[in-house]
Amino acid sequence: MTRSRARDVNVCGVTAAIAVIDGKWKTLLLWLLESGPHRPGELRRKLPGLTEKVLTQTLREMEEDGLVHREVYDVLPPKTVYSLTAFGRELSEALAPLSDWGHRRLDRLAEAS
């Protein structure tokens, strides 16, 4: 799904929601940020395989979509902290039933093997 779908007002609600969380890292970042604010380095350590470039790009997209807040402190060395906005917390709450369904699906797959 392309980024332009996240701004398209002529799509169904589910498509609009999926466009905002589409990508390998966004749901994981939402999940991590649910526990509270994190610095970029903390997020990278908790998500092996996530490069600094992709982390920055993903967080910028999430900020543009109103899901995360970026706080930059005027100190040396520079300090940046990311946290969920109220809109981001609302999305996390909306995704909780989908997460529960996913866990039930994984349980069924495990039982079948």
Side-chain angles (χ1 to χ4, degrees):
M1 195 173 297
T2 63
R3 273 299 294 156
S4 62
R5 297 297 297 263
R7 299 260 179 228
D8 188 350
V9 296
N10 296 313
V11 296
C12 77
V14 173
T15 300
I18 290 173
V20 171
I21 59 169
D22 188 37
K24 182 175 180 177
W25 302 105
K26 288 183 181 177
T27 54
L28 292 168
L29 288 167
L30 273 172
W31 178 66
L32 287 173
L33 291 170
E34 279 180 348
S35 66
H38 284 73
R39 296 183 68 181
E42 295 171 321
L43 295 170
R44 281 195 55 223
R45 280 191 294 279
K46 291 181 179 184
L47 297 172
L50 176 59
T51 65
E52 186 172 345
K53 177 185 175 187
V54 172
L55 175 62
T56 300
Q57 178 183 1
T58 304
L59 288 169
R60 283 183 183 157
E61 288 176 4
M62 293 173 75
E63 185 180 13
E64 182 181 312
D65 290 330
L67 304 177
V68 297
H69 172 71
R70 179 174 167 253
E71 183 79 29
V72 180
Y73 295 90
D74 190 21
V75 294
L76 286 175
K79 177 181 174 184
T80 304
V81 176
Y82 288 90
S83 59
L84 286 182
T85 62
F87 197 53
R89 283 190 299 280
E90 187 180 330
L91 175 60
S92 284
E93 291 168 11
L95 290 174
L98 184 60
S99 175
D100 294 341
W101 182 89
H103 286 291
R104 287 193 304 275
R105 179 181 176 274
L106 293 173
D107 291 342
R108 287 179 68 179
L109 290 173
E111 290 171 6
S113 355

